[in-house]
Amino acid sequence: MKIQTKILLLVVVAVFFAVGCKYDWVIPEEVPDIDPNEDVIKFSEHILPIFTDNNNCTACHDGGQIPDLRTDKAYNSLNSARYINKTSPEESRIYSVPHPDTDGHSQKKYSATQAAYIKAWIQQGAENN
Ligand code: HEC
């Protein structure tokens, strides 16, 4: 093989990899279209697992750090004006503090989907259902 051919081959391979990286795009998260007037959001089924699955929140909020988000404590911890604002659900601290678009609470943020569930749950009256 001629040296020019080798170089050309090397360039082709390099370009191939460089272009390959460019197409390694991030697929945007698909947020479910939750209709708070239609879909019933349940604390036990949709909300609690956000806190406890894989210790997502309970890694830290396990009694030492308020709010206590452990299974048997989470509802009572959140059921106060400090965390839930039924008049303006988006101002609820349990929604706004870990919201993906906010600067605070860098430890952990909700995914867009989780945030959508939390908001819908508050819009439906933040019940212990
Ligand atoms: C790595 C530890 C850690 C994890 C995991 C974590 N947090 Fe926190 N969180 C903290 C700390 C520390 C504070 C207090 C300081 C601050 O606001 O950053 C806090 C504060 C908060 C507050 C405000 C408390 C108040 O009374 O003002 C809320 C609400 C909250 N976290 C919710 C959550 C939720 C929901 C999750 C799971 C999605 C979560 N946190 C995961 C460490 C954590």
Side-chain angles (χ1 to χ4, degrees), residues 50-51 56-57 59-61 65-67 69 82-83 93-94 97-98 105 107-110:
I50 297 174
F51 304 147
N56 191 33
C57 308
C60 304
H61 295 274
Q65 182 70 53
I66 58 160
L69 295 175
R82 177 167 180 85
Y83 295 108
R93 288 181 78 78
I94 193 56
V97 173
H105 201 262
Q107 298 89 345
K108 189 76 148 204
K109 295 189 190 294
Y110 292 134

Side-chain angles (χ1 to χ4, degrees), residues 19-28:
V19 171
C21 290
K22 271 205 195 115
Y23 284 94
D24 194 16
W25 51 44
V26 179
I27 298 161

Side-chain angles (χ1 to χ4, degrees), residues 76-92:
N76 285 337
S77 308
L78 297 177
N79 189 22
S80 80
R82 177 167 180 85
Y83 295 108
I84 291 169
N85 183 339
K86 292 181 196 171
T87 323
S88 314
E90 290 181 16
E91 283 167 29
S92 306

